[in-house]
């Protein structure tokens, strides 16, 4: 089972950070919510950072503004996350350039659509 960290996970079911959590769970992933401002998402305890997660993370899918996302790249790098999805609205030229400079494997696309889910039906 692959493990995905939803960075910017939310308990608000209308937000994409929550929709991503539910979509990945429905597809059989182990989903870890990352949000320092939430206690839990869909009944799962959150972590403040990917660095707080005791186990390896295969994928991070990012649902935070780019000015926040760029501050998280060091954690993604230190955690050695193999695949980092930068979802629409989370990208910026600066974030993408810095991620590439760090040689992080980033994908600029909607991770929910990539796993075969319709984000608007969640």
């Amino acid at each position: 089972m692959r493990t995905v960290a939803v960075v910017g996970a939310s308990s608000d079911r209308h937000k994409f950070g929550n929709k991503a959590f539910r979509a990945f769970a429905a597809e059989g992933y182990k989903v870890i919510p990352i949000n320092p401002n939430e206690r839990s998402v869909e009944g799962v305890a959150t972590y403040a950072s990917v660095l707080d997660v005791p186990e390896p993370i295969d994928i991070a899918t990012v649902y935070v503004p780019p000015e926040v996302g760029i501050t998280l790249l060091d954690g993604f790098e230190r955690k050695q996350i193999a695949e980092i999805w930068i979802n629409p609205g989370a990208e910026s030229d600066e974030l993408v350039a810095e991620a590439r400079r760090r040689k992080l494997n980033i994908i600029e696309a909607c991770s929910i659509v990539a796993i075969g889910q319709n984000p608007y039906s969640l």
Side-chain angles (χ1 to χ4, degrees), residues 8 12 17-18 40-41 53 55 57 59 64 66 70 81 85 109 112:
D12 181 340
N18 181 282
S40 68
V41 172
V53 178
E55 63 196 86
I57 297 171
I59 302 166
V64 297
I70 199 164
I81 299 173
W85 287 76
I112 298 171

Side-chain angles (χ1 to χ4, degrees), residues 18-81:
N18 181 282
K19 292 173 184 278
F21 183 96
R22 291 184 285 127
F24 276 93
E27 291 296 318
Y29 288 80
K30 178 176 184 180
V31 186
I32 299 172
I34 307 293
N35 189 329
N37 302 313
E38 293 270 2
R39 292 181 57 110
S40 68
V41 172
E42 298 293 317
V44 177
T46 61
Y47 290 92
S49 162
V50 294
L51 293 174
D52 296 329
V53 178
E55 63 196 86
I57 297 171
D58 301 305
I59 302 166
T61 184
V62 180
Y63 289 93
V64 297
E67 60 273 13
V68 174
I70 199 164
T71 69
L72 305 176
L73 296 178
D74 183 60
F76 298 158
E77 186 175 25
R78 290 174 49 203
K79 191 68 177 175
Q80 299 180 343
I81 299 173

